[in-house]
Amino acid sequence: MVKLKSDNAIILKNVSFSYNRGLVLDRVNLCVEKGDFATIVGPNGGGKTTLLKLFLGLLKPDTGTIEVLGTSPEKSRLRVGYMPQHSTLDMHFPVTVMDVVLMGRLGNNFWGRYSTDDRARAVKALHEVNLGEHTRHHFSQLSGGQKQRVLIARALCSDPELLLLDEPTSNIDEESEEALFTILTELNSRMTILLVSHDIGFTSQVVKSVICVNRKVNIHPTTTMDGTLIKDIYGGDLKMIRHDHRCSEGGHSND
Ligand SMILES: Nc1ncnc2c1ncn2[C@@H]1O[C@H](COP(=O)(O)OP(=O)(O)OP(=O)(O)O)[C@@H](O)[C@H]1O
């Protein structure tokens, strides 16, 4: 019998994780469909970054299984683009935009030297984030929004099927955020995107699903506006998203 290819980018089955003391993620089951554009939301310390690191294979679950792009997180790593929350890059270090983006090719680069193909991919990635004119500029001279886009280009450089972004909208103004989401919406036509965000407001505009993380994990389609979900996650009233009837069937509990 022919084995059908999975339509899921990520599958977690009964995954629990703790650093040392106390569970951070508790028996998580999650399916993210290929082609989804999902935001990961939840309170501080709820486990969002931990979840991304599990997808990347940087952390291993205590129990349960994780499948990313049909295989283990370790095997899929080169097919996943990642922009970490706090870049380890010293923002004042004298590197050019091109140098930063080329770092995204390091995993593909056995000999430690960049090839013509690496450079062509870096230029293409910079064009995709509308920074094609800035290849020779110093990274430290760019605006906050431009720096975020360079870091996204670095994640795009390996031509990923799955793009994971940890708070790409932190420290950027509203205009830069809008530009960023226009770019991400375009990229979503060819890759699955998961993005950690504290800004719930934009999610109903461009995002297809919301993954709520607070020790437990629930995924919801975004449709119209309602406060219940946000109260559930944050315990307070913020800007809202509403989930459709699929959610009320499944419920949204943290028990
Ligand atoms: N390396 C680590 N060692 C020990 N505990 C950690 C480590 N990293 C995170 N934690 C703890 O695990 C919990 C979840 O952290 P995580 O960074 O995943 O949360 P988060 O939802 O991304 O938070 P934030 O919104 O503040 O970025 C927190 O209580 C945090 O203190």
Side-chain angles (χ1 to χ4, degrees):
M1 199 164 79
V2 181
K3 198 177 171 203
L4 292 173
K5 269 180 124 181
S6 166
D7 283 333
N8 291 307
I10 296 173
I11 304 173
L12 267 63
K13 287 187 186 152
N14 208 28
V15 168
S16 293
F17 179 84
S18 52
Y19 286 98
N20 286 317
R21 52 197 159 84
L23 270 183
V24 174
L25 295 169
D26 184 11
R27 287 165 294 160
V28 169
N29 291 297
L30 175 72
C31 280
V32 179
E33 287 178 11
K34 281 185 181 160
D36 206 345
F37 185 166
T39 44
I40 301 176
V41 300
N44 290 121
K48 303 181 292 296
T49 299
T50 303
L51 193 61
L52 286 194
K53 288 183 177 170
L54 286 164
F55 296 159
L56 287 160
L58 299 175
L59 297 172
K60 296 232 181 303
D62 301 335
T63 62
T65 58
I66 302 180
E67 196 179 297
V68 176
L69 301 172
T71 182
S72 68
E74 291 76 15
K75 286 187 182 152
S76 60
R77 200 177 292 164
L78 287 180
R79 295 156 63 200
V80 181
Y82 175 49
M83 186 190 127
Q85 184 175 11
H86 301 293
S87 174
T88 47
L89 211 60
D90 177 351
M91 294 290 179
H92 300 292
F93 195 70
V95 284
T96 66
V97 166
M98 187 68 172
D99 293 331
V100 174
V101 178
L102 278 169
M103 287 176 200
R105 296 296 300 163
L106 283 173
N108 308 66
N109 199 307
F110 185 72
W111 300 107
R113 270 201 206 149
Y114 298 119
S115 65
T116 312
D117 180 50
D118 290 332
R119 287 177 190 282
R121 283 168 186 261
V123 169
K124 183 170 167 254
L126 275 167
H127 277 286
E128 288 198 286
V129 298
N130 298 331
L131 289 174
E133 310 286 294
H134 291 70
T135 48
R136 288 169 195 275
H137 290 186
H138 276 272
F139 183 71
S140 61
Q141 289 166 351
L142 301 183
S143 71
Q146 286 172 326
K147 280 182 183 144
Q148 296 290 57
R149 281 190 279 151
V150 171
L151 296 175
I152 291 174
R154 182 175 69 168
L156 287 177
C157 214
S158 57
D159 228 349
E161 292 161 57
L162 170 66
L163 185 60
L164 304 177
L165 308 165
D166 202 345
E167 297 203 36
T169 55
S170 60
N171 305 319
I172 61 171
D173 58 43
E174 212 170 301
E175 204 178 313
S176 304
E177 187 178 304
E178 263 182 51
L180 181 65
F181 278 96
T182 305
I183 291 163
L184 291 178
T185 306
E186 267 175 47
L187 289 173
N188 183 229
S189 63
R190 66 168 206 270
M191 65 187 73
T192 310
I193 300 179
L194 266 63
L195 171 158
V196 173
S197 177
H198 281 290
D199 180 5
I200 315 295
F202 68 81
T203 54
S204 57
Q205 310 286 317
V206 293
V207 167
K208 298 170 184 167
S209 311
V210 179
I211 298 170
C212 306
V213 182
N214 193 5
R215 212 157 77 112
K216 296 285 188 182
V217 176
N218 293 277
I219 184 165
H220 305 268
T222 49
T223 47
T224 47
M225 312 285 275
D226 182 305
T228 317
L229 168 62
I230 304 302
K231 275 191 185 147
D232 263 9
I233 309 166
Y234 289 97
D237 251 322
L238 294 178
K239 285 202 256 175
M240 315 293 177
I241 13 169
R242 184 158 87 198
H243 24 304
D244 66 18
H245 59 92
R246 271 213 278 154
C247 298
S248 42
E249 281 165 20
H252 183 272
S253 72
N254 283 330
D255 54 25

Coordinates of all heavy atoms in Angstrom, one line a residue, residues 132-207:
G132 N 17.4 44.4 -0.5 CA 18.3 44.1 -1.6 C 19.4 45.2 -1.8 O 20.5 44.9 -2.2
E133 N 19.0 46.4 -1.4 CA 19.9 47.5 -1.6 C 21.0 47.6 -0.5 O 21.9 48.5 -0.6 CB 19.2 48.8 -1.6 CG 17.9 48.9 -2.5 CD 18.4 49.0 -4.0 OE1 18.9 50.0 -4.4 OE2 18.1 48.0 -4.7
H134 N 20.8 46.8 0.5 CA 21.6 47.1 1.8 C 22.7 46.1 2.0 O 23.3 46.0 3.1 CB 20.7 47.1 3.0 CG 19.7 48.2 3.0 ND1 18.7 48.4 2.2 CD2 19.7 49.3 3.8 CE1 18.0 49.5 2.4 NE2 18.6 50.1 3.4
T135 N 23.0 45.2 1.0 CA 24.0 44.1 1.2 C 25.3 44.6 1.9 O 25.8 44.0 2.7 CB 24.3 43.4 -0.1 OG1 24.6 44.3 -1.1 CG2 23.2 42.5 -0.5
R136 N 25.8 45.8 1.4 CA 27.1 46.2 1.9 C 27.1 47.1 3.1 O 28.1 47.5 3.6 CB 27.9 47.0 0.8 CG 28.3 46.0 -0.3 CD 28.8 46.9 -1.5 NE 28.9 46.0 -2.7 CZ 30.0 45.3 -3.0 NH1 31.0 45.3 -2.2 NH2 30.0 44.5 -4.1
H137 N 25.9 47.5 3.5 CA 25.7 48.4 4.7 C 26.2 47.7 6.0 O 26.1 46.4 6.1 CB 24.3 48.8 4.8 CG 23.9 49.8 3.7 ND1 22.7 50.5 3.7 CD2 24.6 50.2 2.6 CE1 22.6 51.2 2.6 NE2 23.8 51.0 1.9
H138 N 26.6 48.5 6.9 CA 26.9 47.9 8.2 C 25.6 47.6 9.0 O 24.7 48.4 9.0 CB 27.8 48.9 9.1 CG 29.2 48.7 8.7 ND1 30.0 47.8 9.3 CD2 30.0 49.4 7.8 CE1 31.2 47.9 8.8 NE2 31.2 48.8 7.8
F139 N 25.6 46.4 9.5 CA 24.4 45.9 10.2 C 24.0 46.9 11.4 O 22.8 47.2 11.6 CB 24.7 44.5 10.8 CG 23.5 43.9 11.5 CD1 22.4 43.5 10.8 CD2 23.5 43.8 12.9 CE1 21.3 42.9 11.5 CE2 22.4 43.2 13.5 CZ 21.3 42.8 12.8
S140 N 25.0 47.4 12.1 CA 24.8 48.3 13.2 C 24.1 49.6 12.9 O 23.5 50.3 13.7 CB 26.1 48.5 14.0 OG 26.9 49.2 13.1
Q141 N 24.2 49.9 11.6 CA 23.6 51.2 11.1 C 22.1 51.1 10.7 O 21.5 52.2 10.4 CB 24.4 51.8 10.0 CG 25.8 52.3 10.4 CD 26.7 52.5 9.2 OE1 26.4 52.2 8.1 NE2 27.9 53.1 9.6
L142 N 21.6 49.9 10.7 CA 20.2 49.8 10.3 C 19.2 50.1 11.4 O 19.6 50.1 12.6 CB 19.9 48.3 9.9 CG 20.8 47.8 8.7 CD1 20.3 46.4 8.4 CD2 20.7 48.7 7.5
S143 N 18.0 50.4 11.1 CA 16.9 50.6 12.1 C 16.5 49.3 12.7 O 16.9 48.2 12.2 CB 15.7 51.2 11.4 OG 15.1 50.2 10.6
G144 N 15.8 49.3 13.8 CA 15.4 48.1 14.5 C 14.6 47.2 13.6 O 14.8 46.0 13.5
G145 N 13.7 47.8 12.8 CA 12.8 47.0 11.9 C 13.7 46.3 10.8 O 13.5 45.2 10.4
Q146 N 14.7 47.1 10.3 CA 15.5 46.6 9.2 C 16.4 45.4 9.8 O 16.6 44.4 9.1 CB 16.4 47.7 8.7 CG 15.6 48.6 7.8 CD 16.5 49.8 7.4 OE1 17.3 50.3 8.2 NE2 16.3 50.4 6.2
K147 N 16.9 45.6 11.0 CA 17.7 44.5 11.6 C 16.9 43.2 11.8 O 17.4 42.1 11.5 CB 18.2 45.0 13.0 CG 19.4 45.9 13.0 CD 19.8 46.3 14.4 CE 21.0 47.2 14.3 NZ 20.9 48.2 15.4
Q148 N 15.6 43.4 12.2 CA 14.8 42.2 12.3 C 14.6 41.5 11.0 O 14.7 40.3 10.9 CB 13.4 42.6 12.9 CG 13.3 43.1 14.2 CD 13.7 42.1 15.3 OE1 14.7 41.5 15.3 NE2 12.8 42.0 16.3
R149 N 14.5 42.3 9.9 CA 14.3 41.7 8.6 C 15.6 41.0 8.1 O 15.5 40.0 7.4 CB 13.8 42.8 7.6 CG 12.3 43.1 7.8 CD 11.8 43.9 6.6 NE 12.1 45.3 6.8 CZ 12.2 46.2 5.9 NH1 12.1 45.8 4.6 NH2 12.4 47.4 6.1
V150 N 16.7 41.6 8.5 CA 18.0 41.0 8.1 C 18.1 39.6 8.8 O 18.5 38.6 8.2 CB 19.2 41.8 8.5 CG1 20.5 41.0 8.3 CG2 19.3 43.1 7.7
L151 N 17.6 39.5 10.1 CA 17.7 38.3 10.8 C 16.7 37.3 10.2 O 17.0 36.1 10.2 CB 17.4 38.5 12.3 CG 18.5 39.4 13.0 CD1 18.1 39.7 14.4 CD2 19.9 38.7 12.9
I152 N 15.6 37.8 9.7 CA 14.7 36.9 9.0 C 15.3 36.4 7.7 O 15.2 35.2 7.3 CB 13.3 37.6 8.7 CG1 12.6 37.8 10.1 CG2 12.5 36.7 7.8 CD1 11.4 38.6 10.0
A153 N 16.0 37.3 7.0 CA 16.7 36.8 5.7 C 17.7 35.8 6.1 O 17.9 34.8 5.3 CB 17.4 38.0 5.1
R154 N 18.4 35.9 7.2 CA 19.4 34.9 7.6 C 18.7 33.5 7.8 O 19.2 32.5 7.4 CB 20.0 35.3 9.0 CG 21.1 34.3 9.5 CD 21.8 34.8 10.7 NE 20.9 34.8 11.9 CZ 21.4 35.0 13.1 NH1 22.7 35.2 13.3 NH2 20.6 35.0 14.1
A155 N 17.4 33.6 8.4 CA 16.7 32.3 8.6 C 16.2 31.8 7.2 O 16.0 30.6 7.1 CB 15.5 32.6 9.5
L156 N 16.0 32.7 6.3 CA 15.4 32.2 5.0 C 16.5 31.7 4.0 O 16.2 31.0 3.1 CB 14.8 33.4 4.2 CG 13.5 34.0 4.7 CD1 13.1 35.2 3.9 CD2 12.4 32.9 4.6
C157 N 17.7 32.0 4.4 CA 18.9 31.6 3.5 C 19.0 30.2 3.2 O 19.6 29.8 2.2 CB 20.1 32.2 4.3 SG 21.3 32.8 3.2
S158 N 18.5 29.3 4.1 CA 18.7 27.9 3.9 C 17.4 27.3 3.2 O 17.2 26.1 3.1 CB 18.8 27.2 5.2 OG 17.7 27.5 6.1
D159 N 16.6 28.3 2.6 CA 15.4 27.9 1.9 C 14.5 26.9 2.7 O 14.2 25.8 2.3 CB 15.8 27.1 0.6 CG 15.1 27.6 -0.6 OD1 14.2 28.4 -0.4 OD2 15.5 27.3 -1.7
P160 N 14.1 27.4 3.9 CA 13.3 26.5 4.8 C 11.9 26.2 4.3 O 11.3 26.9 3.6 CB 13.3 27.3 6.1 CG 13.3 28.7 5.6 CD 14.2 28.7 4.4
E161 N 11.4 25.0 4.8 CA 10.0 24.7 4.5 C 9.2 25.1 5.7 O 8.0 25.2 5.7 CB 9.9 23.1 4.4 CG 10.5 22.6 3.2 CD 10.8 21.1 3.3 OE1 9.8 20.4 3.5 OE2 11.9 20.7 3.1
L162 N 9.9 25.3 6.9 CA 9.2 25.8 8.1 C 10.0 26.9 8.7 O 11.3 26.8 8.8 CB 9.2 24.6 9.1 CG 8.7 24.9 10.5 CD1 7.3 25.3 10.6 CD2 8.9 23.6 11.4
L163 N 9.4 28.0 9.0 CA 10.0 29.2 9.5 C 9.6 29.5 10.9 O 8.3 29.6 11.2 CB 9.7 30.4 8.6 CG 10.4 31.7 8.9 CD1 11.9 31.6 8.8 CD2 10.0 32.8 7.9
L164 N 10.5 29.5 11.9 CA 10.1 29.7 13.3 C 10.7 31.0 13.8 O 12.0 31.2 13.7 CB 10.7 28.6 14.2 CG 10.4 27.1 13.8 CD1 11.1 26.2 14.8 CD2 8.8 26.9 14.0
L165 N 9.9 31.9 14.2 CA 10.4 33.3 14.6 C 10.0 33.5 16.1 O 8.8 33.4 16.4 CB 9.7 34.3 13.7 CG 9.8 34.1 12.2 CD1 8.8 35.0 11.4 CD2 11.2 34.3 11.7
D166 N 11.0 33.9 16.9 CA 10.7 34.1 18.3 C 10.6 35.6 18.5 O 11.6 36.3 18.5 CB 11.8 33.5 19.2 CG 11.3 33.2 20.6 OD1 10.2 33.8 20.9 OD2 11.9 32.5 21.3
E167 N 9.4 36.1 18.6 CA 9.2 37.6 18.9 C 9.9 38.5 17.9 O 10.6 39.4 18.3 CB 9.6 37.9 20.3 CG 8.7 37.2 21.3 CD 8.7 37.9 22.7 OE1 8.6 39.1 22.7 OE2 8.6 37.2 23.7
P168 N 9.5 38.3 16.6 CA 10.2 39.2 15.6 C 9.7 40.6 15.7 O 10.3 41.5 15.1 CB 9.8 38.6 14.3 CG 8.5 37.9 14.6 CD 8.6 37.4 16.0
T169 N 8.6 40.9 16.4 CA 8.0 42.2 16.4 C 8.4 43.0 17.6 O 8.0 44.1 17.8 CB 6.5 42.2 16.4 OG1 6.0 41.3 17.4 CG2 6.0 41.7 15.1
S170 N 9.3 42.4 18.5 CA 9.7 43.1 19.7 C 10.6 44.3 19.3 O 11.5 44.2 18.4 CB 10.4 42.2 20.7 OG 11.6 41.7 20.1
N171 N 10.5 45.4 19.9 CA 11.3 46.6 19.6 C 11.2 47.2 18.2 O 12.2 47.8 17.7 CB 12.8 46.4 19.9 CG 12.9 45.8 21.3 OD1 12.3 46.3 22.3 ND2 13.8 44.8 21.5
I172 N 10.1 47.0 17.5 CA 10.0 47.7 16.2 C 8.7 48.5 16.2 O 7.7 48.2 16.9 CB 10.1 46.7 15.0 CG1 8.9 45.7 15.0 CG2 11.4 46.1 14.9 CD1 8.9 44.9 13.7
D173 N 8.7 49.6 15.4 CA 7.5 50.4 15.4 C 6.4 49.8 14.5 O 6.6 48.8 13.8 CB 7.9 51.8 14.8 CG 8.5 51.8 13.4 OD1 8.0 51.0 12.6 OD2 9.5 52.5 13.2
E174 N 5.2 50.4 14.6 CA 4.1 49.9 13.9 C 4.2 49.7 12.4 O 3.8 48.7 11.8 CB 2.9 50.8 14.2 CG 1.6 50.0 14.3 CD 0.4 50.9 14.8 OE1 0.6 51.4 16.0 OE2 -0.5 51.1 14.1
E175 N 4.9 50.7 11.8 CA 5.1 50.7 10.3 C 6.0 49.5 9.9 O 5.7 48.8 9.0 CB 5.7 52.0 9.9 CG 5.5 52.3 8.5 CD 6.1 53.7 8.1 OE1 6.0 54.7 8.9 OE2 6.8 53.7 7.1
S176 N 7.0 49.3 10.7 CA 8.0 48.2 10.4 C 7.2 46.9 10.6 O 7.5 45.9 9.9 CB 9.2 48.2 11.3 OG 9.8 49.4 11.3
E177 N 6.4 46.8 11.6 CA 5.6 45.6 11.9 C 4.7 45.3 10.7 O 4.6 44.1 10.3 CB 4.8 45.8 13.2 CG 4.2 44.5 13.6 CD 3.4 44.6 14.9 OE1 4.1 45.1 15.9 OE2 2.2 44.3 15.0
E178 N 4.1 46.3 10.2 CA 3.2 46.1 9.0 C 3.9 45.6 7.9 O 3.5 44.6 7.2 CB 2.5 47.4 8.7 CG 1.1 47.5 9.3 CD 0.4 48.8 8.9 OE1 0.4 49.1 7.7 OE2 0.0 49.5 9.8
A179 N 5.1 46.2 7.6 CA 6.0 45.8 6.5 C 6.4 44.3 6.7 O 6.4 43.5 5.7 CB 7.2 46.6 6.4
L180 N 6.7 44.0 7.9 CA 7.1 42.6 8.2 C 6.0 41.6 7.9 O 6.2 40.5 7.3 CB 7.5 42.5 9.7 CG 8.0 41.2 10.2 CD1 9.3 40.8 9.6 CD2 8.2 41.3 11.8
F181 N 4.8 42.0 8.3 CA 3.7 41.0 8.1 C 3.3 40.9 6.6 O 2.9 39.8 6.2 CB 2.5 41.3 9.0 CG 2.8 40.7 10.4 CD1 3.3 41.5 11.4 CD2 2.6 39.4 10.6 CE1 3.6 40.9 12.6 CE2 2.9 38.8 11.8 CZ 3.4 39.6 12.8
T182 N 3.5 41.9 5.9 CA 3.3 41.8 4.4 C 4.3 40.8 3.9 O 3.9 39.9 3.1 CB 3.5 43.2 3.7 OG1 2.7 44.1 4.4 CG2 3.2 43.1 2.3
I183 N 5.5 40.9 4.3 CA 6.6 39.9 3.8 C 6.2 38.5 4.3 O 6.3 37.6 3.5 CB 7.9 40.4 4.4 CG1 8.4 41.7 3.7 CG2 9.0 39.3 4.2 CD1 9.5 42.4 4.4
L184 N 5.9 38.4 5.5 CA 5.6 37.0 6.1 C 4.4 36.4 5.4 O 4.3 35.2 5.1 CB 5.4 37.1 7.6 CG 6.6 37.4 8.4 CD1 6.2 37.5 9.9 CD2 7.7 36.4 8.2
T185 N 3.4 37.2 5.1 CA 2.2 36.7 4.4 C 2.6 36.1 3.0 O 2.1 35.1 2.6 CB 1.1 37.8 4.2 OG1 0.9 38.3 5.5 CG2 -0.2 37.3 3.6
E186 N 3.5 36.8 2.3 CA 4.0 36.4 1.0 C 4.7 35.1 1.2 O 4.5 34.1 0.4 CB 4.9 37.4 0.4 CG 4.1 38.4 -0.5 CD 5.0 39.5 -1.0 OE1 6.1 39.2 -1.5 OE2 4.5 40.6 -1.0
L187 N 5.6 35.0 2.2 CA 6.4 33.8 2.4 C 5.6 32.6 2.7 O 5.9 31.5 2.4 CB 7.4 34.0 3.5 CG 8.6 35.0 3.3 CD1 9.4 35.3 4.5 CD2 9.5 34.4 2.2
N188 N 4.4 32.9 3.4 CA 3.5 31.8 3.8 C 2.9 31.1 2.6 O 2.5 29.9 2.8 CB 2.4 32.4 4.7 CG 1.5 31.4 5.2 OD1 0.3 31.5 5.2 ND2 2.0 30.3 5.8
S189 N 3.0 31.6 1.4 CA 2.5 30.9 0.2 C 3.4 29.7 -0.1 O 3.0 28.8 -0.8 CB 2.4 31.8 -1.0 OG 3.7 32.3 -1.3
R190 N 4.6 29.7 0.5 CA 5.5 28.5 0.2 C 6.1 27.8 1.4 O 6.8 26.9 1.3 CB 6.6 28.9 -0.8 CG 7.6 29.9 -0.4 CD 8.8 29.9 -1.4 NE 10.0 30.3 -0.7 CZ 10.4 31.5 -0.7 NH1 9.7 32.5 -1.2 NH2 11.5 31.8 -0.1
M191 N 5.8 28.4 2.6 CA 6.3 27.7 3.8 C 5.4 27.9 5.0 O 4.6 28.9 5.0 CB 7.7 28.3 4.1 CG 7.8 29.7 4.5 SD 9.5 30.3 4.7 CE 10.1 30.4 3.1
T192 N 5.5 27.0 5.9 CA 4.7 27.1 7.2 C 5.4 28.1 8.1 O 6.7 28.0 8.2 CB 4.7 25.7 7.8 OG1 4.3 24.7 6.9 CG2 3.7 25.7 9.0
I193 N 4.7 28.9 8.7 CA 5.3 29.9 9.6 C 4.7 29.8 11.0 O 3.5 29.8 11.2 CB 5.1 31.4 9.1 CG1 5.7 31.5 7.7 CG2 5.7 32.4 10.0 CD1 5.6 32.8 7.0
L194 N 5.6 29.8 12.0 CA 5.2 29.8 13.4 C 5.9 31.0 14.1 O 7.1 31.1 13.9 CB 5.5 28.5 14.1 CG 4.4 27.5 14.2 CD1 4.1 27.0 12.8 CD2 4.9 26.3 15.1
L195 N 5.2 31.8 14.8 CA 5.8 33.1 15.3 C 5.3 33.3 16.7 O 4.1 33.3 17.0 CB 5.3 34.1 14.3 CG 5.4 35.6 14.4 CD1 5.3 36.2 13.1 CD2 4.4 36.2 15.3
V196 N 6.3 33.5 17.6 CA 5.9 33.8 19.0 C 5.7 35.3 19.0 O 6.4 36.1 18.5 CB 7.1 33.5 19.9 CG1 6.8 34.0 21.3 CG2 7.3 32.0 20.0
S197 N 4.5 35.7 19.6 CA 4.2 37.1 19.7 C 3.5 37.5 21.0 O 2.7 36.7 21.4 CB 3.4 37.5 18.5 OG 3.1 38.9 18.6
H198 N 3.8 38.7 21.5 CA 2.9 39.2 22.6 C 1.8 40.1 22.1 O 1.0 40.5 22.8 CB 3.8 40.0 23.6 CG 4.6 39.1 24.5 ND1 4.0 38.3 25.4 CD2 5.9 38.7 24.5 CE1 4.9 37.6 26.1 NE2 6.1 37.8 25.5
D199 N 1.9 40.4 20.8 CA 0.9 41.3 20.2 C -0.2 40.5 19.6 O -0.1 40.0 18.5 CB 1.6 42.2 19.1 CG 0.7 43.1 18.5 OD1 -0.5 43.2 18.9 OD2 1.1 43.8 17.5
I200 N -1.3 40.4 20.3 CA -2.4 39.6 19.8 C -3.2 40.3 18.7 O -3.9 39.7 17.9 CB -3.4 39.3 21.0 CG1 -2.6 38.9 22.2 CG2 -4.4 38.2 20.6 CD1 -1.9 37.6 22.1
G201 N -3.0 41.7 18.7 CA -3.9 42.5 17.9 C -3.9 42.1 16.4 O -4.9 42.0 15.8
F202 N -2.7 41.9 15.8 CA -2.6 41.6 14.4 C -3.1 40.2 14.0 O -3.4 40.0 12.9 CB -1.2 41.8 13.9 CG -0.3 40.8 14.4 CD1 -0.2 39.5 13.7 CD2 0.5 41.0 15.4 CE1 0.6 38.6 14.2 CE2 1.4 40.0 15.9 CZ 1.4 38.8 15.3
T203 N -3.2 39.3 15.0 CA -3.4 37.9 14.6 C -4.6 37.7 13.8 O -4.6 36.8 12.9 CB -3.4 37.0 15.8 OG1 -4.4 37.5 16.7 CG2 -2.1 37.0 16.5
S204 N -5.7 38.4 14.0 CA -6.9 38.1 13.3 C -6.8 38.6 11.8 O -7.5 38.2 11.0 CB -8.1 38.7 13.9 OG -7.9 40.1 14.1
Q205 N -5.8 39.5 11.6 CA -5.7 40.0 10.2 C -5.0 39.0 9.3 O -5.5 38.7 8.2 CB -4.7 41.3 10.2 CG -5.1 42.3 11.3 CD -6.3 43.1 10.8 OE1 -6.4 43.5 9.7 NE2 -7.3 43.3 11.7
V206 N -3.9 38.5 9.6 CA -3.1 37.7 8.7 C -2.8 36.3 9.1 O -2.4 35.4 8.3 CB -1.7 38.4 8.4 CG1 -1.9 39.7 7.6 CG2 -0.9 38.6 9.6
V207 N -3.1 36.0 10.4 CA -2.7 34.7 10.9 C -3.8 33.7 10.9 O -5.0 34.1 11.0 CB -2.2 34.9 12.4 CG1 -2.1 33.6 13.1 CG2 -0.9 35.7 12.4

